[in-house]
Amino acid sequence: MLKLTIENISKTFKDKQAVTGFSAELSEGVYALLGPNGAGKTTLMRMLADILNPSSGRILLDGNDISIMGNRYRDILGYLPQEFGLYRNFTAIRFLSYFARLKGLNKQETTTRVDEVLELVNLQKDRKRKLKTYSGGMKRRLGIAQALLNDPKLLIVDEPTAGLDPQERVRFRNLLSEIAGDRIVLLSTHIVSDIEYIAKEVLLMRQGTLIQRSTSEQLLDNVKDKVWKCTVEQNALSQLQKRYKVGNIQRAETGIEVRIVSDQQPLADAVNVTPTLEDVYLYFFNEEVTDDVQTGML
Amino acid sequence: MYKQECYKIFTRKSLYLTFLLFIFFMLLPDGSHSIRQTSTYQSLYDEWRGPLTATEIDMANERLMKLEEQVDREMAEADELEGVFPKSIEDQAAHSVYVSVIQAGENINWFEARKENLRDKAFHPTETAYQAEVAQMEFELLQQLNEPIGFYQTTTWSSTVDFINTLGFIFLTVLIILGLAPVFADEHSQKVASLIVSTKFGKTKVAFAKIFASITYIGVLFVSLHVINVLIEISKFGRFVDGTVPLQNLYLFIQSPFSLTIWQYYALALGIQLLASLMIGLLVLFLSIITRHAMLTFFISGTIIGTPVLFRQLGLDQQLIQHMTQFSYAELMRVKGLVDQFIVFRLLGQPILYPYLLIAVFLLIASLNVLLIYWQYRNQQIVN
Ligand SMILES: Nc1ncnc2c1ncn2[C@@H]1O[C@H](COP(=O)(O)OP(=O)(O)O)[C@@H](O)[C@H]1O
Ligand SMILES: [Mg+2]
């Protein structure tokens, strides 16, 4: 079984510590790297994708240092960056064929494999169109198709659902669970709903460090008995937001229904409710749970 | 991979537009060759073509004198002094032939005097041993030239050969820089670099695929530009004649010490220019990697190649600047300067001919450049 070991890696940009002493061991399955913007997810993933050298620490695949493995490591790697571009004048076929060759497939393998991945991401009928005519969602799908060309044993996808509409996002999640199989999939996101069903484990990242690693169920334990719901007047809301981690706010007939994550009961009439992953996110990152932050992709 | 790298370069419309613009420049008419189509010219050409004897030169002098008397008469009789004299095109042709022959005669004398002078230097005890050696070297080169100067019809060749060090040099350089500046840089500006570098061959083979695609581009560009030029020259000046005569019959190469015929020089110059094009290509590719910016690459390579040319135009002739110019990409690319004079450099006490040294230096630079490209590419870090 494949094993990826991240050994105490750090990355410093000039005076900025983007990743600090990150260690983890991953085996087959889907892992979600969850953290707010600026947590260091992209930097970590770039180091895993062998396009950025760590300032310190090592990354090992089955015990071999990837910086020594070189192209033998990248041979089993599939990587979809957070932000990427496509050649505007290329058709999807040309684009994928180019990357298939870069990934070491021979001519014959290239033809069949390009066909397969196009099918997989449902771009068959658009395969001969120039990429400049592609929509954001289609570009993402082509990006994932590119990552899958070499049938990677290690798949790294950085915020793959950013910029997708909700429907596309669901489709993408399904695609991901479909292809998960016997590989290591590392998926970063700051959107909780992305990971709810597919991730075997969640790695919580904040300010460059791994703060917790657990299954989604275990994650919920963090906020067990700490999620409250109550109804308040409109004018009490801002006061409440200052003092507590306030999640969902909903208008009700009797006032405003708020969801609060707090160790103690925030108000007398607050009642405990079943926690969700969004509450966990709120608990750790103390931020409004954004449904989608449009990242300036493509 | 190679195919797609070629595709990326060859689908850039701006390159075709620039190329067409340059062809348009080449098509602009210059000079007329009506004189060479007159029967007078043809018969004089038949009479005098070849190395010139003293009698032939005297005859040209005599006839020129007569013709000038005739011109004087024409001018005296004319109502107004505008236009060209002599009036008839036949006489104009004769005039131009006489002048050429006389000029050739002077050049022959000058050439003999130069040899004489060198012989003195080489064997005269007042010179240092090194200087004597240099003089001897030049003398021996000149000895191999047997009656190099004569009367020939070299207009087409002269213009074709000239293209190499003038428009050809400029157009090729611009198109190479324009075409290759984006090769590595655009992967970053198009945000594809992280996709490429994370693939199996994305740090290694792809760099060579890009280099080979660039070489292909240069080759195609080079061949098309020169083929088109040859066709244009023929249409402007008529077919090529007298290509088998010594290079020294071209005005610009009158001082050249090398024993080459015109077409041999042309072939050699094309070879060297192609080599220089490839070297400029490598320079541009290297800058494309380190700047990650096509425009910046364009300007830096333009500066590196253009500055020595500018210095020369400004007439700066300090020793250092002169050496800088002599060992510049532009000088190599223009080829002419390698051959049109006798220049030696002292290396380990031995005189070594400038063209050999220049080419050796640039072969070294080019190999270093390839290594640097590979090394830089391999170790690039992608941070955005
Ligand atoms: N090239 C860089 N130069 C300087 N700082 C950087 C660079 N890339 C990222 N950072 C900083 O590192 C931190 C982590 O960024 P990033 O890895 O992009 O986080 P995330 O992907 O989780 O949003 C941020 O504070 C960011 O500003
Ligand atoms: Mg990111």
Side-chain angles (χ1 to χ4, degrees):
Chain A
M1 203 153 96
L2 205 62
K3 198 174 72 185
L4 183 73
T5 315
I6 305 169
E7 230 178 62
N8 198 25
I9 62 171
S10 301
K11 182 72 196 180
T12 314
F13 295 111
K14 297 205 177 80
D15 48 354
K16 170 88 196 162
Q17 277 260 340
V19 173
T20 313
F22 193 106
S23 295
E25 196 163 286
L26 312 180
S27 54
E28 282 152 21
V30 179
Y31 298 83
L33 189 60
L34 182 66
N37 278 322
K41 305 184 293 294
T42 296
T43 306
L44 176 68
M45 290 184 134
R46 280 184 181 140
M47 293 188 282
L48 293 175
D50 199 22
I51 62 172
L52 183 65
N53 293 338
S55 306
S56 65
R58 298 191 302 170
I59 300 163
L60 309 170
L61 185 79
D62 284 341
N64 301 307
D65 192 326
I66 67 161
S67 65
I68 291 162
M69 287 179 77
N71 59 13
R72 276 187 299 124
Y73 172 70
R74 293 191 303 276
D75 194 21
I76 60 110
L77 171 73
Y79 173 52
L80 180 65
Q82 179 172 1
E83 276 184 57
F84 63 94
L86 307 169
Y87 301 118
R88 297 168 48 81
N89 281 328
F90 277 38
T91 60
I93 291 214
R94 185 181 288 278
F95 184 80
L96 290 175
S97 304
Y98 176 58
F99 277 95
R101 300 312 295 268
L102 277 168
K103 288 171 179 236
L105 277 67
N106 66 29
K107 268 209 175 83
Q108 220 175 354
E109 291 164 345
T110 296
T111 324
T112 44
R113 191 60 192 154
V114 164
D115 228 43
E116 283 170 22
V117 295
L118 278 170
E119 194 65 56
L120 201 62
V121 299
N122 199 17
L123 282 174
Q124 269 294 2
K125 63 179 196 310
D126 300 299
R127 67 188 189 279
K128 286 185 176 151
R129 273 171 55 186
K130 290 257 163 111
L131 299 181
K132 61 183 161 207
T133 67
Y134 270 34
S135 71
M138 291 164 83
K139 287 177 180 176
R140 270 284 161 206
R141 278 188 274 152
L142 189 63
I144 195 74
Q146 168 276 138
L148 293 173
L149 276 168
N150 56 334
D151 195 13
K153 289 271 158 269
L154 170 61
L155 180 63
I156 296 172
V157 282
D158 196 357
E159 309 226 7
T161 58
L164 297 188
D165 60 39
Q167 199 190 347
E168 285 175 318
R169 209 181 290 158
V170 171
R171 247 189 276 142
F172 183 82
R173 279 204 296 266
N174 294 342
L175 173 65
L176 210 59
S177 22
E178 203 176 305
I179 59 175
D182 55 351
R183 38 186 136 222
I184 302 176
V185 179
L186 182 61
L187 155 96
S188 84
T189 185
H190 60 266
I191 302 164
V192 178
S193 56
D194 278 351
I195 54 172
E196 215 133 23
Y197 307 103
I198 53 171
K200 162 170 128 180
E201 282 186 72
V202 179
L203 310 177
L204 290 180
M205 197 170 176
R206 186 169 60 195
Q207 288 170 11
T209 50
L210 176 65
I211 52 172
Q212 192 175 76
R213 170 184 176 167
S214 51
T215 63
S216 352
E217 295 82 51
Q218 288 168 336
L219 270 184
L220 293 175
D221 289 347
N222 285 302
V223 288
K224 196 166 166 249
D225 302 329
K226 291 176 186 166
V227 183
W228 311 84
K229 198 169 173 178
C230 53
T231 308
V232 296
E233 300 283 309
Q234 170 81 47
N235 48 20
L237 189 57
S238 63
Q239 191 66 349
L240 210 57
Q241 276 170 321
K242 268 186 208 130
R243 290 183 51 197
Y244 298 103
K245 297 171 176 174
V246 176
N248 237 7
I249 300 169
Q250 226 167 9
R251 223 158 273 282
E253 294 125 51
T254 50
I256 294 171
E257 206 177 81
V258 290
R259 202 174 169 93
I260 296 170
V261 182
S262 162
D263 291 334
Q264 279 107 39
Q265 187 176 26
L267 293 170
D269 61 344
V271 290
N272 256 136
V273 288
T274 328
T276 67
L277 280 177
E278 305 210 341
D279 301 317
V280 178
Y281 191 92
L282 190 64
Y283 178 73
F284 280 108
F285 304 125
N286 191 21
E287 278 179 31
E288 183 66 30
V289 178
T290 44
D291 202 40
D292 184 11
V293 174
Q294 293 280 331
T295 26
M297 72 155 297
L298 303 167
Chain B
M1 205 182 320
Y2 162 77
K3 219 172 68 190
Q4 311 301 353
E5 296 299 347
C6 286
Y7 183 86
K8 288 185 206 166
I9 300 176
F10 283 98
T11 49
R12 304 237 323 278
K13 288 200 192 74
S14 58
L15 295 179
Y16 293 90
L17 285 178
T18 316
F19 188 80
L20 285 179
L21 184 74
F22 287 162
I23 298 298
F24 172 75
F25 272 113
M26 287 157 63
L27 282 169
L28 293 180
D30 53 349
S32 99
H33 63 293
S34 52
I35 279 180
R36 283 182 307 279
Q37 286 164 338
T38 60
S39 58
T40 309
Y41 180 90
Q42 276 310 320
S43 68
L44 284 173
Y45 175 72
D46 291 341
E47 187 182 342
W48 281 336
R49 182 196 178 277
L52 295 165
T53 61
T55 4
E56 283 170 330
I57 295 164
D58 287 345
M59 201 188 293
N61 262 315
E62 247 167 65
R63 292 200 203 166
L64 180 65
M65 228 137 52
K66 272 199 208 127
L67 186 58
E68 303 225 295
E69 281 165 18
Q70 183 199 322
V71 169
D72 287 345
R73 276 199 307 279
E74 273 184 37
M75 285 172 89
E77 288 161 13
D79 303 331
E80 46 181 335
L81 289 181
E82 270 172 39
V84 189
F85 290 91
K87 278 227 156 11
S88 92
I89 185 139
E90 299 290 334
D91 289 342
Q92 280 170 26
H95 188 272
S96 106
V97 172
Y98 300 151
V99 170
S100 306
V101 168
I102 293 164
Q103 182 63 51
E106 274 164 24
N107 292 340
I108 292 170
N109 292 340
W110 173 84
F111 179 78
E112 291 304 326
R114 177 179 171 200
K115 269 208 310 202
E116 215 39 54
N117 184 19
L118 285 171
R119 201 204 311 265
D120 280 357
K121 263 193 187 169
F123 301 109
H124 215 278
T126 57
E127 301 289 340
T128 68
Y130 176 73
Q131 277 168 326
E133 195 178 347
V134 170
Q136 166 124 24
M137 192 172 176
E138 184 175 356
F139 177 73
E140 277 167 12
L141 281 171
L142 294 191
Q143 277 294 73
Q144 290 170 27
L145 297 173
N146 174 39
E147 293 199 320
I149 299 165
F151 172 63
Y152 300 102
Q153 186 181 323
T154 53
T155 322
T156 312
W157 271 112
S158 156
S159 174
T160 308
V161 163
D162 219 30
F163 177 75
I164 290 185
N165 61 67
T166 53
L167 293 187
F169 152 66
I170 297 170
F171 294 171
L172 271 173
T173 307
V174 171
L175 277 165
I176 289 170
I177 300 181
L178 211 59
L180 301 188
V183 165
F184 287 100
D186 269 13
E187 307 295 2
H188 293 278
S189 66
Q190 298 182 5
K191 292 186 175 291
V192 194
S194 49
L195 292 180
I196 293 180
V197 177
S198 64
T199 61
K200 181 176 185 189
F201 295 132
K203 287 191 178 194
T204 50
K205 274 194 187 168
V206 71
F208 289 109
K210 281 176 184 298
I211 292 176
F212 288 128
S214 303
I215 291 176
T216 309
Y217 167 71
I218 291 174
V220 170
L221 173 66
F222 186 86
V223 170
S224 9
L225 194 67
H226 280 293
V227 165
I228 290 173
N229 178 56
V230 163
L231 296 178
I232 292 177
E233 302 287 359
I234 291 176
S235 77
K236 275 186 183 170
F237 302 108
R239 64 199 177 80
F240 289 92
V241 284
D242 286 339
T244 54
V245 306
L247 176 65
Q248 285 71 13
N249 288 289
L250 297 182
Y251 174 70
L252 289 174
F253 294 90
I254 207 156
Q255 295 193 43
S256 170
F258 298 104
S259 167
L260 290 168
T261 65
I262 295 179
W263 77 261
Q264 281 172 345
Y265 168 73
Y266 185 59
L268 181 77
L270 285 179
I272 294 178
Q273 188 166 61
L274 180 59
L275 191 76
S277 301
L278 297 176
M279 289 172 180
I280 287 184
L282 288 175
L283 170 74
V284 176
L285 289 180
F286 176 64
L287 290 171
S288 183
I289 287 190
I290 58 171
T291 64
R292 298 188 174 189
H293 200 293
M295 276 304 249
L296 208 57
T297 303
F298 186 85
F299 286 119
I300 297 178
S301 23
T303 309
I304 292 177
I305 296 164
T307 309
V309 180
L310 189 72
F311 282 167
R312 173 155 292 190
Q313 292 299 325
L314 293 176
L316 302 175
D317 57 358
Q318 287 90 330
Q319 186 82 34
L320 184 72
I321 290 182
Q322 206 174 17
H323 284 338
M324 244 181 70
T325 313
Q326 277 171 328
F327 288 89
S328 66
Y329 281 97
E331 206 57 11
L332 184 68
M333 187 78 176
R334 297 180 64 208
V335 189
K336 175 175 155 283
L338 279 66
V339 178
D340 67 356
Q341 280 176 65
F342 177 81
I343 304 173
V344 287
F345 286 88
R346 189 172 187 166
L347 204 71
L348 306 171
Q350 292 294 310
I352 173 163
L353 281 167
Y354 164 56
Y356 295 143
L357 185 60
L358 180 66
I359 290 175
V361 165
F362 270 90
L363 282 177
L364 199 72
I365 293 179
S367 347
L368 222 74
N369 213 333
V370 173
L371 290 179
L372 277 176
I373 288 174
Y374 186 62
W375 190 80
Q376 271 291 335
Y377 189 76
R378 234 199 127 96
N379 293 301
Q380 66 179 325
Q381 304 285 299
I382 310 242
V383 289
N384 51 31

